[in-house]
mmCIF file of all heavy atoms in Angstrom:
data_model
loop_
_atom_site.group_PDB
_atom_site.id
_atom_site.type_symbol
_atom_site.label_atom_id
_atom_site.label_comp_id
_atom_site.label_asym_id
_atom_site.label_seq_id
_atom_site.Cartn_x
_atom_site.Cartn_y
_atom_site.Cartn_z
ATOM 1 N N ALA D 1 0.823 -1.221 0.000
ATOM 2 C CA ALA D 1 0.000 0.000 0.000
ATOM 3 C C ALA D 1 0.852 1.265 0.000
ATOM 4 O O ALA D 1 0.343 2.352 0.274
ATOM 5 C CB ALA D 1 -0.932 0.008 1.200
ATOM 6 N N GLY D 2 2.125 1.112 -0.304
ATOM 7 C CA GLY D 2 3.024 2.262 -0.249
ATOM 8 C C GLY D 2 2.622 3.396 -1.188
ATOM 9 O O GLY D 2 2.621 4.566 -0.796
ATOM 10 N N LEU D 3 2.277 3.060 -2.425
ATOM 11 C CA LEU D 3 1.931 4.098 -3.397
ATOM 12 C C LEU D 3 0.661 4.841 -2.986
ATOM 13 O O LEU D 3 0.608 6.075 -3.045
ATOM 14 C CB LEU D 3 1.757 3.495 -4.789
ATOM 15 C CG LEU D 3 1.385 4.495 -5.896
ATOM 16 C CD1 LEU D 3 2.455 5.577 -6.039
ATOM 17 C CD2 LEU D 3 1.179 3.766 -7.226
ATOM 18 N N ASP D 4 -0.345 4.091 -2.547
ATOM 19 C CA ASP D 4 -1.590 4.740 -2.130
ATOM 20 C C ASP D 4 -1.357 5.671 -0.944
ATOM 21 O O ASP D 4 -1.940 6.756 -0.868
ATOM 22 C CB ASP D 4 -2.635 3.682 -1.769
ATOM 23 C CG ASP D 4 -3.123 2.918 -2.997
ATOM 24 O OD1 ASP D 4 -3.025 3.475 -4.110
ATOM 25 O OD2 ASP D 4 -3.585 1.771 -2.836
ATOM 26 N N THR D 5 -0.494 5.249 -0.035
ATOM 27 C CA THR D 5 -0.185 6.094 1.122
ATOM 28 C C THR D 5 0.568 7.344 0.689
ATOM 29 O O THR D 5 0.295 8.452 1.161
ATOM 30 C CB THR D 5 0.651 5.309 2.147
ATOM 31 O OG1 THR D 5 -0.084 4.167 2.589
ATOM 32 C CG2 THR D 5 1.006 6.179 3.344
ATOM 33 N N ALA D 6 1.513 7.156 -0.226
ATOM 34 C CA ALA D 6 2.281 8.300 -0.715
ATOM 35 C C ALA D 6 1.377 9.311 -1.412
ATOM 36 O O ALA D 6 1.506 10.522 -1.203
ATOM 37 C CB ALA D 6 3.378 7.828 -1.665
ATOM 38 N N LEU D 7 0.452 8.810 -2.221
ATOM 39 C CA LEU D 7 -0.436 9.707 -2.962
ATOM 40 C C LEU D 7 -1.460 10.377 -2.054
ATOM 41 O O LEU D 7 -1.783 11.556 -2.238
ATOM 42 C CB LEU D 7 -1.164 8.927 -4.066
ATOM 43 C CG LEU D 7 -0.306 8.389 -5.209
ATOM 44 C CD1 LEU D 7 -1.154 7.575 -6.172
ATOM 45 C CD2 LEU D 7 0.392 9.514 -5.939
ATOM 46 N N GLY D 8 -1.948 9.635 -1.075
ATOM 47 C CA GLY D 8 -3.022 10.172 -0.246
ATOM 48 C C GLY D 8 -2.557 10.969 0.957
ATOM 49 O O GLY D 8 -3.243 11.899 1.397
ATOM 50 N N ALA D 9 -1.388 10.619 1.504
ATOM 51 C CA ALA D 9 -0.933 11.268 2.737
ATOM 52 C C ALA D 9 0.283 12.150 2.547
ATOM 53 O O ALA D 9 0.377 13.228 3.131
ATOM 54 C CB ALA D 9 -0.624 10.195 3.793
ATOM 55 N N VAL D 10 1.228 11.712 1.744
ATOM 56 C CA VAL D 10 2.497 12.437 1.612
ATOM 57 C C VAL D 10 2.445 13.484 0.507
ATOM 58 O O VAL D 10 2.837 14.643 0.712
ATOM 59 C CB VAL D 10 3.660 11.457 1.343
ATOM 60 C CG1 VAL D 10 4.969 12.220 1.187
ATOM 61 C CG2 VAL D 10 3.769 10.436 2.471
ATOM 62 N N LEU D 11 1.969 13.091 -0.662
ATOM 63 C CA LEU D 11 2.029 13.981 -1.824
ATOM 64 C C LEU D 11 1.311 15.309 -1.618
ATOM 65 O O LEU D 11 1.877 16.369 -1.940
ATOM 66 C CB LEU D 11 1.478 13.264 -3.062
ATOM 67 C CG LEU D 11 1.728 13.973 -4.397
ATOM 68 C CD1 LEU D 11 3.224 14.035 -4.697
ATOM 69 C CD2 LEU D 11 1.005 13.253 -5.533
ATOM 70 N N PRO D 12 0.085 15.333 -1.095
ATOM 71 C CA PRO D 12 -0.572 16.639 -0.917
ATOM 72 C C PRO D 12 0.236 17.586 -0.037
ATOM 73 O O PRO D 12 0.367 18.775 -0.350
ATOM 74 C CB PRO D 12 -1.912 16.265 -0.257
ATOM 75 C CG PRO D 12 -2.167 14.868 -0.712
ATOM 76 C CD PRO D 12 -0.820 14.220 -0.738
ATOM 77 N N TRP D 13 0.781 17.089 1.070
ATOM 78 C CA TRP D 13 1.591 17.941 1.943
ATOM 79 C C TRP D 13 2.819 18.462 1.210
ATOM 80 O O TRP D 13 3.160 19.652 1.282
ATOM 81 C CB TRP D 13 2.040 17.148 3.181
ATOM 82 C CG TRP D 13 0.990 17.017 4.224
ATOM 83 C CD1 TRP D 13 0.147 15.954 4.419
ATOM 84 C CD2 TRP D 13 0.647 17.980 5.221
ATOM 85 N NE1 TRP D 13 -0.696 16.197 5.482
ATOM 86 C CE2 TRP D 13 -0.401 17.435 5.996
ATOM 87 C CE3 TRP D 13 1.128 19.248 5.535
ATOM 88 C CZ2 TRP D 13 -0.978 18.118 7.061
ATOM 89 C CZ3 TRP D 13 0.558 19.933 6.605
ATOM 90 C CH2 TRP D 13 -0.481 19.368 7.350
ATOM 91 N N PHE D 14 3.506 17.553 0.510
ATOM 92 C CA PHE D 14 4.742 17.959 -0.181
ATOM 93 C C PHE D 14 4.463 19.001 -1.253
ATOM 94 O O PHE D 14 5.170 20.007 -1.351
ATOM 95 C CB PHE D 14 5.411 16.740 -0.817
ATOM 96 C CG PHE D 14 6.622 17.092 -1.629
ATOM 97 C CD1 PHE D 14 7.819 17.414 -1.012
ATOM 98 C CD2 PHE D 14 6.555 17.124 -3.017
ATOM 99 C CE1 PHE D 14 8.938 17.764 -1.762
ATOM 100 C CE2 PHE D 14 7.665 17.478 -3.769
ATOM 101 C CZ PHE D 14 8.856 17.787 -3.142
ATOM 102 N N LEU D 15 3.433 18.790 -2.052
ATOM 103 C CA LEU D 15 3.150 19.711 -3.147
ATOM 104 C C LEU D 15 2.702 21.073 -2.632
ATOM 105 O O LEU D 15 3.137 22.116 -3.144
ATOM 106 C CB LEU D 15 2.074 19.115 -4.068
ATOM 107 C CG LEU D 15 2.456 17.835 -4.815
ATOM 108 C CD1 LEU D 15 1.329 17.402 -5.747
ATOM 109 C CD2 LEU D 15 3.745 18.012 -5.601
ATOM 110 N N VAL D 16 1.856 21.082 -1.613
ATOM 111 C CA VAL D 16 1.368 22.352 -1.075
ATOM 112 C C VAL D 16 2.491 23.116 -0.374
ATOM 113 O O VAL D 16 2.642 24.338 -0.554
ATOM 114 C CB VAL D 16 0.182 22.108 -0.117
ATOM 115 C CG1 VAL D 16 -0.149 23.376 0.660
ATOM 116 C CG2 VAL D 16 -1.037 21.642 -0.903
ATOM 117 N N LEU D 17 3.299 22.428 0.414
ATOM 118 C CA LEU D 17 4.396 23.106 1.105
ATOM 119 C C LEU D 17 5.459 23.585 0.121
ATOM 120 O O LEU D 17 6.066 24.653 0.305
ATOM 121 C CB LEU D 17 5.011 22.168 2.147
ATOM 122 C CG LEU D 17 4.127 21.872 3.361
ATOM 123 C CD1 LEU D 17 4.780 20.828 4.260
ATOM 124 C CD2 LEU D 17 3.852 23.145 4.149
ATOM 125 N N ASN D 18 5.692 22.815 -0.936
ATOM 126 C CA ASN D 18 6.627 23.250 -1.972
ATOM 127 C C ASN D 18 6.111 24.518 -2.635
ATOM 128 O O ASN D 18 6.874 25.459 -2.900
ATOM 129 C CB ASN D 18 6.814 22.130 -3.002
ATOM 130 C CG ASN D 18 7.968 22.388 -3.940
ATOM 131 O OD1 ASN D 18 7.919 23.299 -4.754
ATOM 132 N ND2 ASN D 18 9.005 21.579 -3.831
ATOM 133 N N ALA D 19 4.815 24.559 -2.894
ATOM 134 C CA ALA D 19 4.209 25.750 -3.499
ATOM 135 C C ALA D 19 4.329 26.953 -2.575
ATOM 136 O O ALA D 19 4.580 28.080 -3.018
ATOM 137 C CB ALA D 19 2.742 25.478 -3.842
ATOM 138 N N ALA D 20 4.133 26.725 -1.274
ATOM 139 C CA ALA D 20 4.257 27.818 -0.311
ATOM 140 C C ALA D 20 5.682 28.360 -0.283
ATOM 141 O O ALA D 20 5.910 29.570 -0.174
ATOM 142 C CB ALA D 20 3.847 27.337 1.079
ATOM 143 N N PHE D 21 6.652 27.465 -0.381
ATOM 144 C CA PHE D 21 8.063 27.878 -0.448
ATOM 145 C C PHE D 21 8.302 28.735 -1.692
ATOM 146 O O PHE D 21 8.958 29.782 -1.628
ATOM 147 C CB PHE D 21 8.940 26.628 -0.473
ATOM 148 C CG PHE D 21 10.384 26.896 -0.789
ATOM 149 C CD1 PHE D 21 11.228 27.430 0.173
ATOM 150 C CD2 PHE D 21 10.897 26.606 -2.045
ATOM 151 C CE1 PHE D 21 12.562 27.675 -0.115
ATOM 152 C CE2 PHE D 21 12.219 26.851 -2.337
ATOM 153 C CZ PHE D 21 13.063 27.390 -1.376
ATOM 154 N N CYS D 22 7.748 28.299 -2.814
ATOM 155 C CA CYS D 22 7.901 29.061 -4.059
ATOM 156 C C CYS D 22 7.252 30.435 -3.945
ATOM 157 O O CYS D 22 7.794 31.434 -4.440
ATOM 158 C CB CYS D 22 7.290 28.290 -5.229
ATOM 159 S SG CYS D 22 8.217 26.837 -5.730
ATOM 160 N N LEU D 23 6.086 30.491 -3.305
ATOM 161 C CA LEU D 23 5.426 31.776 -3.107
ATOM 162 C C LEU D 23 6.297 32.693 -2.259
ATOM 163 O O LEU D 23 6.397 33.896 -2.532
ATOM 164 C CB LEU D 23 4.065 31.572 -2.439
ATOM 165 C CG LEU D 23 3.315 32.850 -2.053
ATOM 166 C CD1 LEU D 23 3.048 33.724 -3.271
ATOM 167 C CD2 LEU D 23 2.004 32.510 -1.340
ATOM 168 N N GLY D 24 6.921 32.141 -1.235
ATOM 169 C CA GLY D 24 7.816 32.937 -0.407
ATOM 170 C C GLY D 24 8.971 33.506 -1.205
ATOM 171 O O GLY D 24 9.360 34.676 -1.032
ATOM 172 N N LEU D 25 9.535 32.697 -2.092
ATOM 173 C CA LEU D 25 10.615 33.177 -2.951
ATOM 174 C C LEU D 25 10.137 34.304 -3.860
ATOM 175 O O LEU D 25 10.805 35.342 -4.000
ATOM 176 C CB LEU D 25 11.164 32.028 -3.812
ATOM 177 C CG LEU D 25 12.031 30.988 -3.127
ATOM 178 C CD1 LEU D 25 12.379 29.876 -4.113
ATOM 179 C CD2 LEU D 25 13.313 31.611 -2.582
ATOM 180 N N ALA D 26 8.979 34.094 -4.489
ATOM 181 C CA ALA D 26 8.446 35.109 -5.403
ATOM 182 C C ALA D 26 8.124 36.394 -4.654
ATOM 183 O O ALA D 26 8.456 37.498 -5.103
ATOM 184 C CB ALA D 26 7.196 34.570 -6.102
ATOM 185 N N ASP D 27 7.474 36.272 -3.506
ATOM 186 C CA ASP D 27 7.117 37.442 -2.706
ATOM 187 C C ASP D 27 8.353 38.243 -2.292
ATOM 188 O O ASP D 27 8.381 39.471 -2.389
ATOM 189 C CB ASP D 27 6.369 37.009 -1.442
ATOM 190 C CG ASP D 27 4.863 37.150 -1.599
ATOM 191 O OD1 ASP D 27 4.417 37.799 -2.559
ATOM 192 O OD2 ASP D 27 4.133 36.624 -0.747
ATOM 193 N N SER D 28 9.367 37.534 -1.806
ATOM 194 C CA SER D 28 10.560 38.223 -1.330
ATOM 195 C C SER D 28 11.337 38.855 -2.477
ATOM 196 O O SER D 28 11.932 39.925 -2.320
ATOM 197 C CB SER D 28 11.458 37.263 -0.544
ATOM 198 O OG SER D 28 11.885 36.187 -1.359
ATOM 199 N N ALA D 29 11.305 38.220 -3.641
ATOM 200 C CA ALA D 29 11.977 38.802 -4.807
ATOM 201 C C ALA D 29 11.269 40.079 -5.249
ATOM 202 O O ALA D 29 11.928 41.073 -5.591
ATOM 203 C CB ALA D 29 12.010 37.794 -5.957
ATOM 204 N N VAL D 30 9.940 40.058 -5.245
ATOM 205 C CA VAL D 30 9.180 41.251 -5.606
ATOM 206 C C VAL D 30 9.452 42.377 -4.607
ATOM 207 O O VAL D 30 9.665 43.539 -4.983
ATOM 208 C CB VAL D 30 7.670 40.942 -5.665
ATOM 209 C CG1 VAL D 30 6.849 42.222 -5.772
ATOM 210 C CG2 VAL D 30 7.359 40.033 -6.853
ATOM 211 N N ALA D 31 9.465 42.045 -3.319
ATOM 212 C CA ALA D 31 9.705 43.059 -2.290
ATOM 213 C C ALA D 31 11.098 43.666 -2.428
ATOM 214 O O ALA D 31 11.270 44.893 -2.346
ATOM 215 C CB ALA D 31 9.531 42.442 -0.908
#
């Protein structure tokens, strides 16, 4: 069940937090 766990539990956190990191980079560059 490793893949299902990765997709359901790990992937959403990783993708959203990665996006938040990118937003921080973009925001700070604009500032």
Side-chain angles (χ1 to χ4, degrees):
L3 180 60
D4 291 336
T5 300
L7 293 177
V10 179
L11 191 65
W13 281 97
F14 176 76
L15 295 183
V16 169
L17 290 175
N18 192 292
F21 170 76
C22 289
L23 175 59
L25 286 175
D27 261 347
S28 61
V30 169

